[in-house]
Amino acid sequence: MAIERTLILCKPDAVSRGLVGEITARIERRGYVIIAMKLMQLDGDRAREHYSEHSGKPFFNDLVDFITNGPLLAIAVEGERAIDGCRQMIGATDPLAAAPGSIRADLAQTIGRNLVHGSDSAASADRELAIFFEDKDFVSRRHDLERWITE
Ligand code: DAT
Ligand code: MG
């Protein structure tokens, strides 16, 4: 098995629109498990750190303003190949390019309000999870996972 951890954010638009239940339900229905969850409002420094790969791009300041503008829900998710699996569920960055059935295709209209963040690699997941959580925040759900995953 290749159990991975990934960071999912229900961004402020998702929280404001009352979509955290819908989003977490989709993640759980896929069989992934939530191992930590935190409702919080990001400050600018943490937002810039989280999105550091985009620093200097034309949309960077708007992105930081948006992500710090209201509460978001940070979720640590664990599951078999959960990094790519969650990205698949979230869909392409532009909701119009996202696969039908994905969160962004089903629930979002624009790239700047695309509801959800998901880590894009193991290195990103490690880096990003450390921005939002401490090791002691994570609970073990291995028993739940291993019950339902087969090779
Ligand atoms: P993703 O969130 O799919 O990983 P990304 O890492 O390329 O996409 O970009 C991070 C976020 O930045 C994205 O969710 C929305 C915003 N963004 C990306 N490209 C953008 C653009 N061309 N115009 C406006 N916002 C953009
Ligand atoms: Mg990204």
Side-chain angles (χ1 to χ4, degrees), residues 11 51 53-54 59 63 87 93 104 111-112 114 116-118:
K11 299 184 195 180
Y51 279 127
E53 68 183 287
H54 300 300
F59 59 84
L63 180 61
R87 294 277 294 182
T93 309
R104 285 167 170 167
I111 199 165
N114 62 9
V116 191
H117 168 84

Side-chain angles (χ1 to χ4, degrees), residues 114-136:
N114 62 9
L115 294 174
V116 191
H117 168 84
S119 306
D120 64 7
S121 66
S124 298
D126 287 347
R127 186 185 74 80
E128 293 170 1
L129 282 164
I131 295 171
F132 291 85
F133 297 103
E134 298 174 52
D135 278 346
K136 67 177 173 52

Side-chain angles (χ1 to χ4, degrees), residues 3 12 18-19 22 29 64 69-71 79 89 103 108 130 138 140 144 146:
I3 292 180
L19 291 172
E22 166 85 27
R29 284 209 301 269
V64 170
N69 197 35
M89 294 182 72
I103 292 168
F138 302 123
S140 174
D144 295 331
E146 284 163 7

